[in-house]
Structures are given as C-alpha cells and as structure tokens.
Amino acid sequence: MILVTGGAGYIGSHTCIELARVGHEFVVFDNFSNSTPAVLARMEQIIGRPVIWHAGDVRDPAALDKVFAGHPVSAVLHFAGLKAVTESISQPIDYFDHNVHGSIALMGAMARAGCKTLVFSSSATVYGPEQPMPVAEDAPCAVSNPYGRTKLVVEDLLNELGRSDPQWRIATLRYFNPTGAHPSALIGESPLGTPSNLMPLVCQVAAGIRPSLQIFGDDYPSPDGTGVRDFVHVMDLAEGHVAALDFLTKNQARIVVNLGTGHGTSVLEVIQTFERVSGQRVPYEIVPRRDADIGISFADVRLARELLGWVAKRDVDEMCRDAWRWQAANGS
Ligand code: UD1
C-alpha cells in the first residue's frame, strides 16, 4: 500500500491514476487546502473503483500515526505542500510550516511505523538563476524565495536522514514545469484563486475568463525573446513517480533526479501551439519581466533515463490539447 500525501492535488491525483493503472494499492491523505474531495470522485470514475482516503494534515502526527496504523504502508509519495512563489514571499512562516514542518512530521511518523521508503516532490526552482542549461542534478543550488528555500531545506533534511540510517530509500524528484491534464478531462489543474503559472492562465484567456495574457518580457536570450521552460506533461510526471517507486523497491538508495523533457519551449511557442491545437485565440501583450524570473530553464534528463528508465513521452501539442480539454470541460 502506497501512502500519497496531497493525493487530491494536481500532481498527486494524476500519480494516483498511474499507480492504479499499474496495480498499486494506495491511500490518499489530504487536507483539501488547495483541492476538494470532488477530485476523489473523479479519480474513482477514471480507475473504476473506490479510492481510500483520509482527510488530514501532514503537520498532525496523530493523524499520520492513525493512517499508518490502519494500512500496511510500504512507501510514501509526499506531494502535500504549498507551491506559490509570490505567496511564499508574503507568507514565509506558512510555507516553512506546511512544507518543512509537514515533511518533518511525516518522516517522524514513517520512522515510527518502520516505513522508510519516500518519494519527495522537489522543484527545479532549487537550481537558482545562473545555471548553464540543460541543468543537471549536481549543479549548485541557490534559491531566491521562501518556497524554493523550503524545498532545499527538506532535501537537506532527507540527505541527513539517509546518512543517519541507510535503511531509508529516498527519491527526490525535481520537477520542471508540470502542465496538461488527464486525457479524460476529469482531473486537471485547478488552482484556487488567480493562477500564477503560464498554462492555467493561457487556458483562462482562451476561455474568455481573462481578456489577455501578459507575457513577462521579450528580451531574454531566446530565439523569440520570451522565456523558455521545460514543460512536462503531468501524466509523464505521474509515470516518473511510479518509475522512482519501482527503483526504490529494487535499490536501497537515495537519489535526486530531474523530471523534465530535456527540451525548452518559449512562452510564445506555447501560445502558438495552444492556439493551433485548441482553435481558440489567446490575445497577449508584452509587459516587463517578472521579478526574479529566470530566462531559460530546461533539464538534463540523462539521470532519469539511466536510473529510472523514464523518459517523458508527451509533447507540447499534447500538453496544450489536454489542458484545453480540461479547461473547456470544467472551467467557467
Ligand atoms: C514558477 C515558479 C517556480 C515553481 C514553478 C512551478 C516563479 C518565479 N517561479 O516557475 O518556483 O517551481 O512555477 O509551479 O514564480 N509567464 C508569462 N506570463 C504569465 C505567467 C508566466 O509570460 O502570466 C512566463 C514566465 O515569465 C515564464 C514562463 O511563462 O517564462 C513559465 O512561468 P511559470 O508557469 O510561472 O513557471 P516558472 O516561472 O518556471
């Protein structure tokens, strides 16, 4: 049985679908602070059977102990956490509390239950702005905001934990830019409030919810001047988690691995692709660069291929198509 914290969230829910597809049993643990139980009903529709779940907060040791006592958990996929950079700057204590304190409470509960296999959601944001691309896992880390700092602190903690007790099997996965949705359009990304990431905003503009997209800068050193990111389909990410879990089952190891496609796509290219595959117009205006934005970011994906046998299979067309299908079916 796999425990999935944050299993009703964007990446967590898609990963649960993939776990079910390959025959893993799982239990969702989520406080629904940035999701709703309705997602679980959608997941049940996709997988055709009930989802086992508990409402609870990873910062609550008693709630965690109860889950471990109630289920034979062999490994944990830890998605639960806050993830908005701007919000983290205005609410640093909340971010450290949810992301760092929450992870510590989880590690404690795992140790008490004798479950020492963990896949942790980290982010390419830990690499900082000045790296040559593609960026590999051994590049120096440098974070510029509280959100990134919480990810790095937990990575450090996991290193120390592994050093203190080699029975721990830990995969730290550094995501690049997750996007897209399940092809059924039953689950997808539904940020509460105003989205800050590119694709949900593109979708809302295409749906007429917003008049136009602001492109943050066209003077980056990229072919069209707009920022470049390594967008990776959320179902590819889901498969990456299952591959990491399989790796840890076979190897008593601690690994840090990038999950991306290895290809950069510019903001303008995303808009053009989106317009082509959706048939919708996405009006935009160029505005100054966003504070603390980096220009170009894409992953060195060799380690994921070598260690996990995982490569991202879906292209930007598919990401845009699935994101739009989700928006068209669910957005208002
Ligand atoms: C952001 C976070 C990063 C986090 C990641 C995933 C910042 C500075 N970084 O990364 O820490 O891990 O999300 O959640 O917030 N863009 C526009 N107009 C928009 C929105 C975005 O032009 O309205 C551009 C950005 O300038 C960037 C690209 O689109 O070039 C992607 O932006 P975004 O989706 O916010 O992701 P990141 O900046 O990579």
Side-chain angles (χ1 to χ4, degrees):
M1 174 77 79
I2 313 297
L3 170 61
V4 186
T5 75
Y10 175 44
I11 303 172
S13 60
H14 289 79
T15 300
C16 287
I17 301 302
E18 184 59 15
L19 285 172
R21 196 187 67 78
V22 302
H24 284 294
E25 298 289 327
F26 64 91
V27 51
V28 169
F29 184 81
D30 203 302
N31 69 357
F32 303 109
S33 65
N34 195 22
S35 61
T36 66
V39 173
L40 301 165
R42 298 287 190 96
M43 286 161 59
E44 290 178 343
Q45 252 181 284
I46 297 172
I47 67 178
R49 60 180 167 83
V51 169
I52 304 168
W53 60 278
H54 297 275
D57 194 301
V58 281
R59 296 165 298 173
D60 179 353
L64 286 169
D65 285 345
K66 217 169 132 191
V67 173
F68 281 102
H71 304 278
V73 176
S74 58
V76 178
L77 303 186
H78 179 34
F79 295 99
L82 303 179
K83 61 163 190 176
V85 172
T86 318
E87 189 182 64
S88 80
I89 296 166
S90 59
Q91 299 170 34
I93 293 175
D94 261 1
Y95 272 69
F96 276 80
D97 191 29
H98 281 83
N99 294 5
V100 179
H101 173 192
S103 298
I104 293 172
L106 176 65
M107 292 174 219
M110 290 178 69
R112 285 193 293 281
C115 168
K116 296 184 175 175
T117 300
L118 175 65
V119 178
F120 173 62
S121 302
S122 190
S123 165
T125 197
V126 299
Y127 289 122
E130 303 296 339
Q131 299 302 328
M133 296 294 157
V135 62
E137 291 82 352
D138 57 2
C141 291
V143 289
S144 58
N145 58 68
Y147 162 72
R149 175 67 59 195
T150 65
K151 291 294 175 190
L152 208 48
V153 168
V154 176
E155 286 201 12
D156 288 345
L157 272 169
L158 292 172
N159 281 335
E160 300 299 347
L161 184 63
R163 250 199 291 272
S164 75
D165 175 357
Q167 284 184 342
W168 280 89
R169 300 167 183 231
I170 301 169
T172 294
L173 304 180
R174 292 179 177 160
Y175 312 152
F176 279 68
N177 289 67
T179 192
H182 190 267
S184 65
L186 285 167
I187 59 170
E189 185 174 14
S190 40
L192 298 180
T194 306
S196 57
N197 290 122
L198 179 66
M199 191 64 87
L201 286 164
V202 168
C203 285
Q204 292 194 355
V205 172
I209 298 167
R210 295 171 190 280
S212 76
L213 183 83
Q214 295 190 324
I215 295 184
F216 298 136
D218 65 352
D219 54 353
Y220 286 110
S222 68
D224 62 30
T226 64
V228 167
R229 292 293 185 274
D230 188 338
F231 298 96
V232 53
H233 197 293
V234 65
M235 289 311 299
D236 276 319
L237 272 194
E239 292 171 13
H241 286 78
V242 173
L245 202 55
D246 288 349
F247 176 86
L248 293 182
T249 308
K250 296 183 193 126
N251 301 276
Q252 185 168 314
R254 298 188 304 280
I255 56 172
V256 178
V257 181
N258 286 342
L259 293 186
T261 64
H263 304 291
T265 305
S266 76
V267 173
L268 213 48
E269 284 171 329
V270 169
I271 294 171
Q272 286 159 355
T273 305
F274 189 95
E275 288 187 325
R276 176 167 50 75
V277 303
S278 70
Q280 305 297 311
R281 283 203 56 241
V282 180
Y284 64 83
E285 54 178 329
I286 309 286
V287 300
R289 292 181 179 193
R290 183 169 63 179
D291 260 1
D293 239 356
I294 59 173
I296 298 178
S297 161
F298 56 98
D300 185 325
V301 292
R302 284 174 298 178
L303 199 60
R305 190 169 45 226
E306 281 163 26
L307 286 181
L308 310 180
W310 174 86
V311 282
K313 299 192 289 267
R314 297 157 178 92
D315 62 12
V316 176
D317 278 36
E318 196 162 348
M319 297 177 214
C320 291
R321 205 177 298 125
D322 289 338
W324 174 242
R325 193 184 291 125
W326 159 251
Q327 174 71 40
N330 301 278
S332 50

